[in-house]
Amino acid sequence: MRASGSQRKSAFRLWYGRLHPSLQLIGLQLWLPLFFIVMFCLCYVAAFHAPHPHEVPVALVGVPDSVRQAIDKALPGVLHLENYSSLSAAKSAVLHGHMAIAYDGSSHEIFKATAHQYQVAALIPAMLTPILAAAGVTATVTDLAPLPAWDEYGTVSLYLMLSWCIGGYMVAMFIGLMGAPLRHRTRVLVILGGGVVIAFVTNVLAGPVIGAVHGHFGMLFLIAWGWIVAIGLAVNGFSYFAGRFIALPAMVVFIFLSMPSSGAAYPAWFMREPFAWLNNVVVGSGITEMLKRELYGVGPGFGRGVTMMAGYAVAGIILMLVGKQVWERRRIRAITTGRTTMFQDAQAANRDFLISERDAVLARHRLSQTETGTISTIPEEERDDDFEDPSTSDMFLGSLNGLEATAPRTRPTRVVSPEHDEGPRAAAYPEVVTRLALHRLFLVLVVVFIVGAVVLYVLSIALAERGGDTARHFDQYAIYTFMGAVLFGIIDFFVRPVMRATSDGSRDVEHPLNG
């Protein structure tokens, strides 16, 4: 075992370590935007720049061989024609997403399901109709599952899927970045709780607030929560191995590969490989198919999505159990050998710089801090007003250390002792409401508004059976009431702390922190 501090560093790392700590930290994070634009081009641009139908399955019922041959000749490699003996079976295959469209040779009718694949329903009948017309057949088109007016192009499932994927992986990503020492139970509880919040917020916004979804709140909440937890568990398991680079596997699996392969933007029949095959395994496919089944009654059903959800969750649990041991062994090895990473070195250097910078800032304002943390004014005879920047600079780049050549100009800072805190300023600006009293008021308002929102939502459910718009109005009232609770919570969190502080920094003259 090597002694601590014996790590050999490359010439580049030694040079990099001489840069300003803030510049080091910035440089060590620039891999993320580079990675993002590269993957965006490789996955999104490459997948969507020229979508073209290939081997799109079409069900034929009672179609003469001459018509079939005409279709094959006109569209080679575009359509995959399959014979069905029953029209009902062909329609069911279209509704379940196994077939793009169905053509009944006896009634000359084309059946499509726009709610399942808008692009397929718009393009394939338009390609087939001229061929049938050339054969002397005038075909009509029947939509088995039309889209509602509030989702005219079928994009709601796409963006709900993206919001759940991003929410799930980001919760677990921050757990991996900042919560490595936490117990499994704590990390899983954070994922479970984060899933509840994200599922509730997204469905409230998409439904009652925006109106992109009508009804189905309970089921959509369960679907969202299940997928967010499954994605979170998978990313959490990855984080033990990837460390601070957890964004790489998380974004590759759950964003860059999942979205183009999901079939939500374009069906797998329009995508090139490997995106067409990935439709069978990516989370985006499972989420969108479950959404379409719940919202419009189309798609393969919940069995496929639940199986995929369970698979990702189980994989995440296995990675979590194994990864914890791997992470612990790596941490022990790093401690005993004294090995550090460039990021750790930059963090340590930045911490030391901030401590010294704090003292310099206090000195510029003629203040000093003792070891106990007390801040006091520097006596006149001890002040050093002759400050010179030891670094040279130029008119374009500034000083060599990357900082401003001169300190920013600020107002003088006055330090008041506790016995003089309630002096002329307090008399001129009396405290009408204490910070604690205002906090209690805001807390009561938040609770009242939340209870009101719950009551209004329950009433909307009870009134839904009577029909009309009354229930919808109560839904809106519940949303507005909940938004009021959020608003008062934000005011309590952000506005209340800016109230005038007492001498001990508690901002509460009734209950000071040191009392």
Side-chain angles (χ1 to χ4, degrees):
M1 182 180 296
R2 291 184 298 174
S4 177
S6 61
Q7 180 182 5
R8 296 183 62 183
K9 299 180 180 180
S10 65
F12 170 78
R13 184 168 176 178
L14 292 174
W15 168 82
Y16 194 84
R18 290 193 291 270
L19 296 177
H20 189 276
S22 297
L23 289 177
Q24 294 183 50
L25 290 174
I26 293 172
L28 292 172
Q29 296 293 353
L30 292 180
W31 62 267
L32 184 56
L34 178 62
F35 161 78
F36 190 91
I37 60 176
V38 169
M39 292 304 299
F40 198 96
C41 292
L42 293 179
C43 294
Y44 286 9
V45 178
F48 295 134
H49 77 97
H52 183 73
H54 54 85
E55 298 297 326
V56 180
V58 174
L60 301 179
V61 182
V63 176
D65 291 339
S66 59
V67 175
R68 181 189 180 104
Q69 292 171 2
I71 296 174
D72 282 331
K73 183 178 180 180
L75 300 173
V78 175
L79 303 181
H80 177 70
L81 306 179
E82 295 188 23
N83 290 321
Y84 274 72
S85 58
S86 168
L87 179 59
S88 61
K91 289 181 179 180
S92 177
V94 172
L95 289 173
H96 284 79
H98 303 312
M99 293 286 120
I101 63 172
Y103 173 59
D104 182 15
S106 60
S107 63
H108 306 302
E109 196 170 3
I110 297 174
F111 298 93
K112 64 179 184 178
T114 306
H116 186 253
Q117 291 289 353
Y118 175 84
Q119 294 83 1
V120 169
L123 181 61
I124 302 303
M127 297 173 66
L128 193 60
T129 301
I131 302 173
L132 296 175
V137 175
T138 302
T140 58
V141 179
T142 300
D143 198 343
L144 299 175
L147 283 166
W150 54 84
D151 187 16
E152 189 173 353
Y153 297 101
T155 56
V156 170
S157 58
L158 166 64
Y159 293 110
L160 277 179
M161 177 269 293
L162 279 176
S163 66
W164 297 346
C165 285
I166 293 173
Y169 100 77
M170 288 193 73
V171 169
M173 182 182 72
F174 287 117
I175 293 174
L177 289 174
M178 306 172 188
L182 295 176
R183 297 184 303 172
H184 290 319
R185 181 187 306 173
T186 304
R187 295 170 71 128
V188 171
L189 286 175
V190 173
I191 293 172
L192 295 175
V196 170
V197 174
I198 296 171
F200 179 78
V201 171
T202 53
N203 283 291
V204 165
L205 292 176
V209 175
I210 299 174
V213 176
H214 289 199
H216 309 275
F217 184 88
M219 195 62 187
L220 291 184
F221 175 86
L222 292 177
I223 295 173
W225 181 79
W227 273 111
I228 292 168
V229 170
I231 294 170
L233 289 175
V235 176
N236 178 57
F238 277 127
S239 68
Y240 286 108
F241 301 91
R244 76 181 188 91
F245 296 102
I246 180 57
L248 272 76
M251 294 181 71
V252 168
V253 174
F254 299 109
I255 302 297
F256 289 118
L257 291 180
S258 181
M259 189 272 184
S261 305
S262 65
Y266 286 99
W269 306 314
F270 284 26
M271 304 301 294
R272 63 178 62 190
E273 298 294 350
F275 302 104
W277 180 86
L278 287 173
N279 178 263
N280 299 298
V281 295
V282 294
V283 296
S285 174
I287 295 174
T288 53
E289 293 297 348
M290 292 182 75
L291 280 170
K292 292 173 182 178
R293 168 57 62 174
E294 174 62 24
L295 294 175
Y296 308 127
V298 295
F302 292 122
R304 176 177 179 268
V306 171
T307 302
M308 295 173 66
M309 183 192 302
Y312 277 95
V314 171
I317 293 173
I318 295 174
L319 288 172
M320 179 176 65
L321 297 176
V322 176
K324 182 74 170 182
Q325 304 300 321
V326 174
W327 175 83
E328 186 67 22
R329 287 197 296 269
R330 289 166 57 186
R331 184 169 69 155
I332 292 296
R333 189 182 304 113
I335 294 174
T336 55
T337 59
R339 296 185 64 85
T340 59
T341 64
M342 292 179 66
F343 192 74
Q344 290 171 338
D345 291 344
Q347 284 181 314
N350 194 58
R351 181 177 61 250
D352 295 339
F353 166 76
L354 291 177
I355 293 174
S356 62
E357 181 72 2
R358 179 194 60 191
D359 296 336
V361 169
L362 291 174
R364 285 201 299 268
H365 291 272
R366 297 170 175 79
L367 303 173
S368 65
Q369 184 176 13
T370 65
E371 294 181 357
T372 60
T374 302
I375 297 177
S376 60
T377 304
I378 301 176
E380 291 282 348
E381 61 275 7
E382 298 181 9
R383 295 179 183 177
D384 182 12
D385 295 328
D386 300 327
F387 173 77
E388 294 182 0
D389 187 358
S391 62
T392 59
S393 62
D394 60 57
M395 62 183 296
F396 296 108
L397 300 178
S399 59
L400 295 181
N401 59 9
L403 303 177
E404 297 289 346
T406 58
R409 303 179 66 87
T410 58
R411 294 185 303 170
T413 302
R414 184 170 64 95
V415 179
V416 183
S417 58
E419 59 270 17
H420 297 95
D421 186 45
E422 303 300 324
R425 186 168 183 266
Y429 304 100
E431 188 91 42
V432 179
V433 181
T434 64
R435 180 172 181 256
L436 182 61
L438 193 60
H439 170 62
R440 290 170 176 169
L441 174 62
F442 285 142
L443 186 61
V444 170
L445 289 173
V446 169
V447 172
V448 169
F449 272 71
I450 290 178
V451 172
V454 172
V455 171
L456 290 171
Y457 184 70
V458 171
L459 288 175
S460 72
I461 297 175
L463 294 172
E465 299 178 355
R466 301 183 181 181
D469 294 333
T470 304
R472 186 175 179 182
H473 290 323
F474 272 83
D475 269 337
Q476 295 175 346
Y477 299 152
I479 291 301
Y480 296 148
T481 307
F482 178 77
M483 292 174 66
V486 173
L487 177 62
F488 281 113
I490 292 174
I491 294 174
D492 181 54
F493 188 80
F494 290 104
V495 177
R496 179 173 50 87
V498 304
M499 295 178 61
R500 182 174 65 86
T502 58
S503 58
D504 62 357
S506 68
R507 302 182 188 272
D508 186 357
V509 296
E510 288 186 347
H511 302 281
L513 296 178
N514 59 7

